[in-house]
Amino acid sequence: MTAVLEPAVVAAIDDLELAARVIVDGIRTGGHRSPLQGHGAEFQQHRPYRAGDDLKYLDWKVFGRSDRLYTRQFRETTNMHLMLVLDASASMAYPIDGPGPSKFRYAVLLAAALAYLASEQGHAVGLMSRTDGALTYLPARAGLVHRRQLLIALDGLRPTARWEPEGMIDRAADLLGRRGLMLVLSDFYDDEPGTQRALRHAVQRGHDVAMLQLLSRAEAQLPTGGTLALQDLESGVQQPIDTALAATAYAAEVAAFCARCATAAQHAGMDYVRFDTDAPLDRALREWLVRRQTGR
Amino acid sequence: MSAVAVALPIAVHLISQRPPRTTPFPTLRFLTSTRLRPARHRQPSDWPLLLLRIAIMLAAVAAMAQPVWRTASAPSSMTRAIVVDTSAGAVTPTDTLRESTARQAGGARLVVPTGSVRAVLPGVVAWLRTQPAPRELVVLADVQRGMMDRADFSALPLDVRVRFVPRARASVPPRAQAAAAVVIAAAGQERLATWLTQVQPLPTTPARRWMAERIAMLQRDSLLVSAAWATTAVQDTIIRAPVQVVATTATGAPVVLAAMITADRTTDMGASAVAAPRLLLWTRTDSTSRVAAALQSVMTASPNETATVAVAVAAAIAPDTLRAWAIAPSATPIGAGVGTERDPLTAPSDARLLWLLVLVLLGAETLVRRRG
């Protein structure tokens, strides 16, 4: 039985690599050993069946002929390139003093887990983000050393100011080169039209694009407390609001926004998943990966 | 307290205008939609809300004061006996009498017009004893001396309230007001009797009543009559004694009347006994010439008599005396209908309506605040 990894517990692990390993182990405990598959897998050889092998890869024809169980092994013909595009804007720092991790911390853990998983499978992983005005970019490469560098870079990111999603996604799509997998981790609050345009452009270039939208439960609804002056974390603008009056309409607006993102992704041929940062990360990640693996 | 009720919501209104607590939020993009209204600034211009809050406080203060509503048209379950003095000095026109009793009656059960308040009081008291509580006796009269005294009300039950309503004498005809009783002290009865026999007897009853009323108006310290004499007693005296017409008009209507008074009484208001027969003259005219002529005729008939003339002035019972006579019920009401009278000190107030108003206003304040 897989133990549920509470986001707060995982987020408390200072060592990002360890945290990523914990998450990946949690995913694998569910029996999914190869959730990330590259394109163009090719049959390589048979090997005797070992307990725990996926029955999907049993060669039944051989069993019928020889009464022996063999597992087919494949060789990835394409070393998948994975580019992680991480939103490090100030809005990702919410919730600031909540019991669980902030969206940014959750996104870092998620990116670390994905990078760990992909590199374990021999894929190349890259990173693009912007923090303190400076661009953080690691090209997609495989290997343990690169993975460690990537995790260090992830650990060094901080949610500050704004980011320009259209430019970042376009840049990442260009730098990814050949057909790759681009995972955009963001709340997608900024420049909705520009973001959708850049994502569609990335899909048109042949990349497999996925929108990983991160939202906390605290922002899906307005905070309680009567009249508050809500301050935008990115712009600093304050808006006095009667939370009791605006709660219903606000929740409807948020739901409509998420629905628009999902619809836009579907129309553009992208994958879309929304992560609740208050829910266990490993479970959410596993569910998503399984969904991808089984063809949605 | 009313000032506090007005000042408190104003203070709360102003205090609530402090800046709201700043809370960081990831984005305000969902709050800029026209569907989302910003917080209502509690500015002083928010008058409807402020006025509602003031009204709530005032209604609550009024409810805590526990008011008791009194309406003029509210039917009273009080049993009343109203004694109306119908003598000329009080209420003369019948219409005025009816109007007075209607105003004073309300739920009155018994109205007794009378020319002698004292005479009817025993009967009124007896009637009140048979009636359910609460009970009240109202006396509408010009409350002149001799009409009544404290002893007349001693037989009333203790729970009967007694009220005196002094009546003005505005309806008294000017001629009657000017009428004076001319008193002549006669030294010898024989002579007066001889003189009186020469005078025509009083022809009409109204004139006789008029004379009786005049006697009731005499001062206590008049030369002839004790002020405590009841109108009826004097009237009887007048009737017993031959009333002579001393002077008449050209058409024969009596204008000066004379009678011999020989009765005397002592009362608790002080004795002024008539020690000797007295001759009384009354006149309806304000012409002193006729009075003088009457006097002259009397003097002529009795040239050796000494005449003392005094002008009688109507005297009313002092207001302090009336207040002392006015009886507030001093015992627990008895009989049927007990407890139906409203006692402002112990009866429940009508504050429930005000508390209901407070609740309604609170609901309105909530609606107005939410709409803001």
Side-chain angles (χ1 to χ4, degrees):
Chain A
M1 189 69 179
T2 306
V4 172
L5 299 173
E6 292 296 334
V9 174
V10 176
I13 301 175
D14 288 337
D15 189 335
L16 189 58
E17 184 170 358
L18 175 61
R21 192 187 311 159
V22 168
I23 296 169
V24 169
D25 286 345
I27 294 172
R28 284 179 175 157
T29 307
H32 303 284
R33 299 181 185 277
S34 178
L36 285 175
Q37 286 188 341
H39 300 278
E42 199 174 75
F43 172 75
Q44 185 181 16
Q45 63 180 3
H46 283 110
R47 66 169 172 79
Y49 171 81
R50 291 199 291 265
D53 283 350
D54 196 339
L55 295 179
K56 181 171 67 175
Y57 298 108
L58 273 178
D59 195 333
W60 295 105
K61 289 181 181 177
V62 171
F63 175 72
R65 287 198 298 268
S66 63
D67 250 357
R68 291 181 184 177
L69 292 170
Y70 288 96
T71 302
R72 288 183 292 178
Q73 287 185 312
F74 295 88
R75 179 174 61 88
E76 301 288 347
T77 57
T78 308
N79 185 16
M80 184 187 69
H81 281 217
L82 168 65
M83 179 61 69
L84 299 168
V85 181
L86 185 60
D87 177 2
S89 62
S91 65
M92 294 290 286
Y94 192 82
I96 296 177
D97 298 320
S102 65
K103 288 189 295 183
F104 183 75
R105 180 62 180 169
Y106 193 98
V108 166
L109 290 171
L110 186 58
L114 287 167
Y116 195 95
L117 195 59
S119 68
E120 284 252 296
Q121 295 175 355
H123 300 306
V125 183
L127 172 68
M128 178 171 286
S129 184
R130 182 183 292 276
T131 186
D132 294 329
L135 181 68
T136 298
Y137 170 69
L138 271 73
R141 289 200 184 123
L144 192 63
V145 174
H146 180 77
R147 182 181 77 187
R148 192 158 293 158
Q149 286 177 342
L150 189 144
L151 292 176
I152 292 171
L154 271 175
D155 213 9
L157 294 173
R158 295 291 179 269
T160 55
R162 292 172 169 262
W163 78 314
E164 297 167 1
E166 187 174 8
M168 289 273 292
I169 294 170
D170 278 341
R171 188 86 182 272
D174 288 339
L175 293 172
L176 191 54
R178 55 180 175 168
R179 294 171 62 199
L181 174 62
M182 179 187 300
L183 304 180
V184 183
L185 292 80
S186 172
D187 50 21
F188 298 105
Y189 283 157
D190 299 292
D191 192 11
E192 184 177 349
T195 301
Q196 294 299 329
R197 193 165 42 247
L199 289 171
R200 285 196 301 271
H201 186 229
V203 171
Q204 289 164 2
R205 288 173 66 107
H207 298 308
D208 183 5
V209 180
M211 293 174 64
L212 279 65
Q213 188 174 32
L214 293 93
L215 287 177
S216 67
R217 291 174 192 169
E219 66 188 316
Q221 296 171 354
L222 280 179
T224 56
T227 302
L228 299 174
L230 299 181
Q231 185 175 27
D232 191 312
L233 285 171
E234 293 187 10
S235 63
V237 173
Q238 288 195 7
Q239 173 71 44
I241 191 148
D242 190 330
T243 56
L245 286 176
T248 305
Y250 173 83
E253 288 281 347
V254 173
F257 166 69
C258 295
R260 282 200 305 275
C261 293
T263 303
Q266 185 182 17
H267 289 167
M270 293 182 288
D271 191 6
Y272 168 84
V273 60
R274 193 171 80 192
F275 285 91
D276 178 1
T277 59
D278 296 291
L281 193 153
D282 60 331
R283 177 186 294 174
L285 182 57
R286 180 171 62 243
E287 288 174 357
W288 175 59
L289 293 174
V290 166
R291 184 161 57 82
R292 276 185 67 88
Q293 189 176 14
T294 57
R296 299 152 200 189
Chain B
M1 201 167 183
S2 300
V4 172
V6 173
L8 188 61
I10 295 175
V12 171
H13 205 72
L14 294 176
I15 288 173
S16 65
Q17 295 182 37
R18 287 181 300 184
R21 179 168 51 94
T22 300
T23 303
F25 209 64
T27 182
L28 299 181
R29 58 175 291 177
F30 304 121
L31 299 173
T32 56
S33 168
T34 54
R35 293 167 54 192
L36 300 173
R37 281 172 289 184
R40 185 186 183 122
H41 291 279
R42 302 281 187 261
Q43 296 176 355
S45 60
D46 202 351
W47 291 112
L49 189 62
L50 177 60
L51 291 175
L52 266 176
R53 289 172 174 171
I54 292 174
I56 290 169
M57 290 300 296
L58 287 176
V61 168
M64 284 188 284
Q66 295 190 336
V68 176
W69 307 118
R70 293 187 183 274
T71 58
S73 61
S76 169
S77 59
M78 176 82 72
T79 301
R80 281 196 181 87
I82 301 178
V83 176
V84 184
D85 177 15
T86 57
S87 62
V91 180
T92 305
T94 307
D95 292 341
T96 308
L97 169 65
R98 274 204 297 271
E99 179 186 350
S100 301
T101 52
R103 275 204 300 273
Q104 296 292 332
R109 304 277 295 274
L110 175 67
V111 179
V112 182
T114 178
S116 169
V117 174
R118 172 170 283 160
V120 301
L121 277 178
V124 171
V125 169
W127 179 82
L128 279 174
R129 283 183 175 277
T130 64
Q131 298 305 309
R135 298 172 287 186
E136 185 180 40
L137 170 63
V138 181
V139 178
L140 276 77
D142 61 354
V143 290
Q144 294 178 357
R145 290 186 176 183
M147 177 183 297
M148 53 191 171
D149 56 47
R150 186 192 299 274
D152 295 323
F153 306 98
S154 61
L156 278 173
L158 294 178
D159 67 315
V160 177
R161 186 194 304 271
V162 178
R163 286 195 294 130
F164 295 97
V165 183
R167 303 295 297 166
R169 293 163 54 88
S171 61
V172 176
R175 288 197 303 171
Q177 282 179 339
V182 180
V183 179
I184 299 175
Q189 185 173 359
E190 290 182 6
R191 290 181 179 276
L192 285 174
T194 302
W195 178 80
L196 286 174
T197 56
Q198 297 175 355
V199 180
Q200 295 176 6
L202 187 66
T204 60
T205 303
R208 181 176 299 174
R209 186 184 304 118
W210 177 79
M211 284 199 305
E213 292 164 358
R214 296 286 78 75
I215 292 178
M217 289 191 296
L218 289 179
Q219 269 185 335
R220 172 174 173 266
D221 55 352
S222 67
L223 298 179
L224 262 191
V225 180
S226 166
W229 278 25
T231 306
T232 304
V234 174
Q235 190 170 10
D236 288 341
T237 304
I238 295 298
I239 293 172
R240 283 197 297 275
V243 178
Q244 314 296 334
V245 177
V246 177
T248 62
T249 62
T251 59
V255 293
V256 180
L257 304 174
M260 179 68 73
I261 303 299
T262 57
D264 67 304
R265 284 178 63 181
T266 57
T267 69
D268 57 347
M269 288 195 66
S272 179
V274 178
R278 306 286 185 188
L279 176 65
L280 288 159
L281 290 176
W282 298 268
T283 176
R284 285 187 175 215
T285 177
D286 57 354
S287 169
T288 54
S289 63
R290 291 185 181 274
V291 174
L295 282 174
Q296 186 63 37
S297 67
V298 172
M299 294 300 290
T300 304
S302 305
N304 296 324
E305 305 302 333
T306 303
T308 304
V309 179
V311 175
V313 176
I317 300 175
D320 289 341
T321 304
L322 281 180
R323 276 195 289 271
W325 287 1
I327 302 173
S330 60
T332 304
I334 57 177
V338 170
T340 58
E341 182 184 14
R342 193 188 196 96
D343 182 353
L345 294 181
T346 60
S349 71
D350 293 307
R352 291 169 294 178
L353 293 177
L354 286 169
W355 285 121
L356 182 62
L357 178 62
V358 169
L359 288 176
V360 170
L361 290 174
L362 279 172
E365 192 266 352
T366 302
L367 286 174
V368 171
R369 182 160 40 85
R370 285 183 180 274
R371 281 186 191 153

